[in-house]
Amino acid sequence: MRTAPDNAVRSFVAEHTADFLGELEEWLRIPSVSADPERAPEVRHSAEWLVAALRRTGFPVAEVWETEGGPAVFAEWPSGEPDAPTVLVYGHHDVQPAAREDGWATDPFEPVRQDGRLRGRGAADDKGQVFLHTLGLRAHLAASGRTAPAVNVKLLVEGEEESGSPHFGALIRAHADRLACDTVIVSDTGMWSEDTPTVCTGMRGLLDGQIDLRGPDQDIHSGSFGGAVPNPAVEAARLVAALHDEDRRVAIPGFYDGVVELGPRERELFAELPFDEAAWLRGAKSHAALGEAGHTTLERIWARPTAEVNGLHSGYGGPGGKTIVPADAHIKFSFRLVAGQDPARIRQLVTDWVAAKLPDGIRHEVGFWGEGTRPCLTPLDHPALRAQVRAMGRAFGQEIRYTREGGSGPAADLQDLLGVPVLFLGISVPSDGWHSVDEKVDLDLLLTGVQAAAYLWEELAADWAREPWPAAGA
Amino acid sequence: MRTAPDNAVRSFVAEHTADFLGELEEWLRIPSVSADPERAPEVRHSAEWLVAALRRTGFPVAEVWETEGGPAVFAEWPSGEPDAPTVLVYGHHDVQPAAREDGWATDPFEPVRQDGRLRGRGAADDKGQVFLHTLGLRAHLAASGRTAPAVNVKLLVEGEEESGSPHFGALIRAHADRLACDTVIVSDTGMWSEDTPTVCTGMRGLLDGQIDLRGPDQDIHSGSFGGAVPNPAVEAARLVAALHDEDRRVAIPGFYDGVVELGPRERELFAELPFDEAAWLRGAKSHAALGEAGHTTLERIWARPTAEVNGLHSGYGGPGGKTIVPADAHIKFSFRLVAGQDPARIRQLVTDWVAAKLPDGIRHEVGFWGEGTRPCLTPLDHPALRAQVRAMGRAFGQEIRYTREGGSGPAADLQDLLGVPVLFLGISVPSDGWHSVDEKVDLDLLLTGVQAAAYLWEELAADWAREPWPAAGA
Ligand SMILES: [Zn+2]
Ligand SMILES: [Zn+2]
């Protein structure tokens, strides 16, 4: 097996940086805002631009895949090596809405390089992080003298991620054979900070929906009837209050069954991160930390399941008072789930729990916005993860630390539908302004990411050659 | 002391019924809707009409009293008797809004007599019940051969009751000397039913307001921050849930201190009323009874203090879901209070309780819509109440039973500011449609009420002659 000497990768990347950034800027100029129906042609234009760019990179297969919504891009570059593993890179080519009037320093779709950064909508989320794989692959080939990658590389770049990936599950199911792989690399996440390169090892799942309570058939007078019939506002509050116990643990029976607890090593690794809680609270626009007893803030947002109330509405909300018992109450809720929790099982637990909690005279419905998103988690000792950490270590020249992602994303669909472990290779940092004004990517980090991507293929191939990886969840 | 023989009162009332109803209909044609600024001239017209009618009745003093809002009417007819007690009758001449388009069978301001009923806005609430005192007084004089009533009669008829009596306290304070009296008769309530004449012995007090909670400075992402910072929707729910214990008693420490508990005799009297809980629930548009353990529904709505939530609003309320931790939450609450509870003290208890309940990171404000309305209660053995029950018994020829009023009204201002006990003489029944379409008054009940009012003055005078009554709350 040929291994690329590190200086060869570095010099190839340096030589081709100008062209690479010029091309990326061209892509950033295409306003592929999936949430805006008027920009559907731009989303298509973005997909077609990417197909052309991937062909120029050398992918023998690069094509647009249609969905019921915005088009995705698929590309494939088989390895020359027999028995090489297959790796699927995931990203997205659509972007969040952006307009100069929102407060951008310059036109969000006219990228600007300034102070070592590239500013523009999609620079970090996610065009920059998708595009780094093109130069990464070329550096891998050039430095190792190969004509094809050390692993079978596949690329799936969706066009509706910023709109909630409504057709992504169907897309994967429709093309399951062509997407077959041994691991997925998600390049749509970030790192702890410029100084602390990290690898994300999992995302939480999500189950959200609404509980509707109905009491009286209409609002009734509280002086005449209050205190003698059930009040939906009060019952909704009692339900929400019962969601957590005094330790702020979720109090729905069975909720924690099967939860993969943090091991002592992972808790230690989290604790070693340079976490400044006061600064984090400022970022959270919040004035105190509060959560499950016995866990730190990082553990709470990354590795613990939660129950949140996103909306609670009942009765009169105008100025002054109105002495009524409201007719109904509505609770919007979201559960974040961690490895070991199945959204379908939690759904049943929640449904049963609500029914058991409510008094006579309160009718109710529990609805969910979908089947839920499953959590994903790659164990610290998974060989593919260890290979990625080695590749990143070579690029950054630093110890790579571990994080997780508190949010939820389509990564879990890839894990579950393809049955493989998911790795996260991201070089964006929290200050990059995802979904916000003046989104940017740090050019040093972007080019270091290109190098990490270059080393990744040979590290994965070498590891696989020693022993093929276990499947997801195994 | 001359006492009117019952047949004399009956025949006088019968002789003058036609004129009495004709005049009442004239008054009902004046649309004195206090809530509608465009009808302010009609409210004034109504006051002036009443002054003229009271002068025709024989009141030597009858005048319009100005307020910052709609005008009130005051009238006075001194007794010829030395040492006679002074009795102030309270009612209101303004009415609720009404329009044919709301579903009225006929024009709400064109009264119609049909099936033994007089239909029209204000027929029961409250013009009919005010006006019965005119014929009542004349019957009292005619049957007893007097030229002046057996007691000093005063009348205060406000013009803003249906708008919350915003200037009533100020009006009483401004005219405290002329309103001085030994008891107040409120004629703005009802009876149990056509078959069960009752006297109301008290109204509950009211304290209402709003609690505002603020957590994050703006809505924040629940995937990134949820479960690690306090959520105002959850904290509002925990606060509301903590309002009641598992027995549905109000759980604010000190809330029940001083509460005048129902005695065994009054509980027995409530229990004897022909109460049909299923029918009551239909009237409450509710599907189950629920309230303070150890008390019946009637006890709960009439004689027990309650805490109700009239509105609860936090976070996202649109279609579908939105994974946020809301920035704020708002609770609209109302407490009904009973004798022994002082709104100012409850206000302090609520304010302290909220402050003690909330976690760090949740800022809050507790506001009240006013100083609150005090409860009022006349003990069953109060001699003035016993005199009223005798007068009603003579008119109805039936045992008079006891009720209370769950709502709150300006009666308590009269009790507190004038320092006298309050009696309630009302002949309206629940089916009269107060504040609703097709408001009506039963003509038999109205004319029986005229008789009760006629007997009332001599019963009160006779009782007072034996021994003057104790003051309010004494
Ligand atoms: Zn993204
Ligand atoms: Zn009224």
Side-chain angles (χ1 to χ4, degrees):
Chain A
M1 185 126 205
R2 292 158 290 188
T3 313
D6 292 7
N7 56 358
V9 164
R10 284 205 185 93
S11 45
F12 186 89
V13 171
E15 274 164 40
H16 294 84
T17 292
D19 288 353
F20 168 74
L21 293 179
E23 284 201 74
L24 173 56
E25 286 170 352
E26 198 178 301
W27 196 17
L28 294 179
R29 285 192 193 98
I30 304 173
S32 49
V33 178
S34 58
D36 182 353
E38 292 193 1
R39 282 178 156 173
E42 301 289 356
V43 176
R44 181 162 302 278
H45 181 193
S46 163
E48 285 162 356
W49 185 95
L50 179 59
V51 165
L54 293 171
R55 290 214 180 109
R56 286 197 301 277
T57 300
F59 277 88
V61 172
E63 56 200 43
V64 169
W65 277 3
E66 298 298 335
T67 74
E68 302 270 308
V73 168
F74 176 76
E76 188 170 8
W77 196 338
S79 168
E81 309 281 345
D83 306 321
T86 301
V87 178
L88 174 67
V89 173
Y90 165 83
H92 60 90
H93 68 91
D94 63 320
V95 297
Q96 281 277 318
R100 183 75 196 269
E101 305 83 72
D102 298 341
W104 283 70
T106 47
D107 184 336
F109 297 106
E110 191 45 67
V112 171
R113 268 180 256 179
Q114 197 180 334
D115 303 329
R117 292 156 169 188
L118 173 61
R119 182 172 63 234
R121 177 55 91 217
D125 178 22
D126 185 35
K127 287 172 175 170
Q129 302 203 84
V130 167
F131 206 58
L132 68 78
H133 286 286
T134 61
L135 184 55
L137 256 175
R138 289 172 59 211
H140 163 63
L141 299 179
S144 62
R146 292 175 177 277
T147 55
V151 304
N152 303 302
V153 176
K154 295 178 177 179
L155 198 61
L156 180 62
V157 184
E158 76 164 309
E160 298 188 303
E161 199 275 344
E162 300 296 0
S163 298
S165 303
H167 307 103
F168 191 61
L171 184 76
I172 301 174
R173 280 187 203 93
H175 298 283
D177 52 339
R178 297 193 64 192
L179 293 169
C181 59
D182 299 297
T183 191
V184 168
I185 308 271
V186 170
S187 280
D188 185 28
T189 52
M191 302 197 315
W192 180 263
S193 72
E194 289 86 343
D195 303 326
T196 306
T198 54
V199 58
C200 169
T201 64
M203 297 182 87
R204 292 192 293 185
L206 175 68
L207 179 70
D208 59 353
Q210 178 162 326
I211 303 167
D212 298 298
L213 307 186
R214 286 178 298 141
D217 294 333
Q218 62 189 47
D219 292 352
I220 56 176
H221 190 251
S222 67
S224 303
F225 306 111
V229 296
N231 176 329
V234 170
E235 297 310 321
R238 291 169 78 99
L239 205 55
V240 168
L243 265 180
H244 300 93
D245 66 16
E246 285 313 305
D247 286 334
R248 301 282 172 163
R249 281 173 63 87
V250 178
I252 297 172
F255 183 79
Y256 290 96
D257 289 358
V259 158
V260 176
E261 299 285 334
L262 279 166
R265 177 67 190 135
E266 206 162 4
R267 297 187 76 170
E268 224 174 84
L269 288 167
F270 283 3
E272 283 170 19
L273 288 166
F275 178 63
D276 175 347
E277 189 156 274
W280 179 84
L281 279 173
R282 283 193 297 275
K285 311 268 184 204
S286 291
H287 302 268
L290 182 69
E292 188 187 353
H295 287 280
T296 64
T297 290
L298 286 182
E299 290 169 5
R300 288 168 181 165
I301 58 176
W302 286 347
R304 299 299 300 169
T306 65
E308 284 303 316
V309 173
N310 319 114
L312 180 54
H313 292 277
S314 179
Y316 183 64
K322 193 171 180 188
T323 48
I324 56 164
V325 174
D328 47 30
H330 309 279
I331 304 165
K332 295 199 190 269
F333 62 81
S334 55
F335 293 93
R336 297 287 164 171
L337 308 178
V338 300
Q341 288 181 304
D342 172 25
R345 195 183 61 87
I346 300 295
R347 187 181 166 126
Q348 193 59 52
L349 291 179
V350 171
T351 304
D352 294 347
W353 178 79
V354 171
K357 278 276 167 190
L358 293 171
D360 280 355
I362 296 285
R363 294 149 298 160
H364 79 280
E365 277 178 62
V366 183
F368 297 87
W369 303 131
E371 289 175 14
T373 302
R374 298 170 61 91
C376 59
L377 179 66
T378 303
L380 290 186
D381 59 359
H382 192 284
L385 177 61
R386 293 205 317 258
Q388 183 191 338
V389 168
R390 283 195 304 274
M392 288 181 70
R394 287 168 65 186
F396 284 90
Q398 267 182 278
E399 186 187 343
I400 306 302
R401 297 171 181 271
Y402 297 86
T403 65
R404 292 199 198 170
E405 176 63 49
S408 312
D413 286 334
L414 295 163
Q415 170 193 265
D416 289 345
L417 295 172
L418 302 176
V420 296
V422 170
L423 307 179
F424 298 85
L425 178 67
I427 51 77
S428 180
V429 289
S431 59
D432 282 352
W434 287 33
H435 300 199
S436 180
V437 297
D438 290 343
E439 178 180 346
K440 54 85 181 167
V441 70
D442 185 292
L443 290 174
D444 267 355
L445 292 178
L446 182 66
L447 296 169
T448 310
V450 169
Q451 294 171 48
Y455 302 133
L456 183 60
W457 313 120
E458 61 186 30
E459 291 289 353
L460 288 171
D463 197 88
W464 177 269
R466 281 192 292 277
E467 187 182 352
W469 312 318
Chain B
M1 188 127 199
R2 291 159 290 189
T3 313
D6 292 8
N7 56 359
V9 163
R10 282 206 185 91
S11 45
F12 186 89
V13 170
E15 274 164 41
H16 294 84
T17 292
D19 288 353
F20 168 75
L21 293 179
E23 284 201 74
L24 174 56
E25 286 171 351
E26 198 179 301
W27 196 18
L28 294 178
R29 286 191 193 97
I30 303 173
S32 48
V33 178
S34 57
D36 182 351
E38 291 193 2
R39 282 178 156 172
E42 301 289 356
V43 176
R44 181 163 301 277
H45 181 193
S46 163
E48 285 162 358
W49 185 95
L50 179 59
V51 164
L54 293 171
R55 290 214 181 112
R56 287 197 299 277
T57 300
F59 276 88
V61 172
E63 55 198 43
V64 169
W65 278 3
E66 299 298 335
T67 72
E68 302 270 307
V73 168
F74 175 76
E76 188 170 9
W77 196 338
S79 168
E81 309 281 345
D83 306 322
T86 301
V87 178
L88 174 68
V89 172
Y90 165 85
H92 60 90
H93 68 92
D94 63 319
V95 298
Q96 281 277 318
R100 184 75 196 270
E101 305 83 71
D102 298 342
W104 283 70
T106 47
D107 184 334
F109 296 106
E110 192 45 67
V112 171
R113 267 179 257 181
Q114 197 180 335
D115 303 328
R117 291 156 169 189
L118 173 60
R119 181 172 62 235
R121 177 56 89 216
D125 179 20
D126 185 36
K127 286 173 175 169
Q129 302 205 86
V130 168
F131 206 59
L132 67 79
H133 285 287
T134 61
L135 184 55
L137 254 176
R138 289 173 60 210
H140 163 61
L141 298 180
S144 61
R146 293 174 178 277
T147 53
V151 305
N152 303 302
V153 176
K154 294 178 178 179
L155 198 61
L156 179 63
V157 183
E158 76 163 309
E160 298 188 304
E161 200 275 345
E162 300 296 1
S163 298
S165 303
H167 308 103
F168 191 60
L171 184 75
I172 300 174
R173 279 188 204 93
H175 298 283
D177 51 340
R178 297 192 66 190
L179 293 169
C181 60
D182 298 299
T183 191
V184 168
I185 308 272
V186 169
S187 279
D188 185 29
T189 52
M191 302 196 317
W192 180 264
S193 73
E194 288 85 345
D195 303 325
T196 307
T198 53
V199 57
C200 170
T201 64
M203 297 183 86
R204 291 192 294 186
L206 175 66
L207 179 70
D208 59 353
Q210 179 161 327
I211 302 167
D212 298 297
L213 307 186
R214 286 178 298 142
D217 295 332
Q218 63 190 49
D219 291 352
I220 56 177
H221 191 252
S222 67
S224 303
F225 305 111
V229 296
N231 176 329
V234 170
E235 298 309 323
R238 291 169 79 100
L239 205 54
V240 168
L243 264 181
H244 300 92
D245 66 16
E246 285 312 305
D247 285 334
R248 300 283 173 163
R249 282 173 63 87
V250 178
I252 297 173
F255 184 79
Y256 290 97
D257 290 358
V259 158
V260 176
E261 299 285 335
L262 279 166
R265 176 68 190 135
E266 206 164 2
R267 299 187 75 170
E268 224 174 85
L269 288 168
F270 284 2
E272 283 170 20
L273 288 166
F275 178 64
D276 176 346
E277 188 155 274
W280 180 84
L281 279 173
R282 282 193 298 276
K285 312 269 184 201
S286 292
H287 301 268
L290 182 69
E292 187 186 353
H295 287 279
T296 65
T297 291
L298 286 183
E299 291 169 4
R300 288 168 180 165
I301 58 176
W302 286 347
R304 298 300 300 169
T306 65
E308 284 304 315
V309 173
N310 319 114
L312 180 53
H313 292 278
S314 178
Y316 183 64
K322 192 171 181 189
T323 48
I324 56 164
V325 174
D328 46 32
H330 309 279
I331 304 165
K332 294 198 192 269
F333 61 82
S334 56
F335 293 94
R336 297 287 164 172
L337 308 179
V338 300
Q341 287 182 306
D342 172 24
R345 195 182 62 87
I346 300 295
R347 187 182 166 127
Q348 192 60 51
L349 291 179
V350 171
T351 305
D352 294 348
W353 178 79
V354 171
K357 278 277 167 190
L358 294 170
D360 281 354
I362 296 285
R363 294 150 297 160
H364 79 281
E365 276 178 62
V366 184
F368 297 86
W369 304 131
E371 289 175 14
T373 302
R374 299 170 62 89
C376 59
L377 179 66
T378 303
L380 290 188
D381 58 0
H382 192 283
L385 178 61
R386 291 203 319 256
Q388 183 192 338
V389 168
R390 283 195 304 273
M392 288 181 70
R394 287 168 65 186
F396 284 90
Q398 266 182 278
E399 186 187 343
I400 305 303
R401 296 171 181 272
Y402 297 86
T403 65
R404 292 200 198 170
E405 176 63 48
S408 312
D413 286 334
L414 295 163
Q415 169 192 264
D416 290 344
L417 295 173
L418 302 176
V420 296
V422 171
L423 307 179
F424 298 85
L425 177 67
I427 50 76
S428 181
V429 290
S431 59
D432 282 351
W434 288 31
H435 300 199
S436 182
V437 296
D438 289 344
E439 178 180 346
K440 54 85 182 167
V441 71
D442 184 291
L443 289 174
D444 268 353
L445 292 179
L446 182 65
L447 296 168
T448 309
V450 169
Q451 293 171 48
Y455 302 132
L456 183 61
W457 312 120
E458 60 187 31
E459 292 288 353
L460 288 171
D463 197 86
W464 177 268
R466 280 192 293 278
E467 188 181 352
W469 312 318

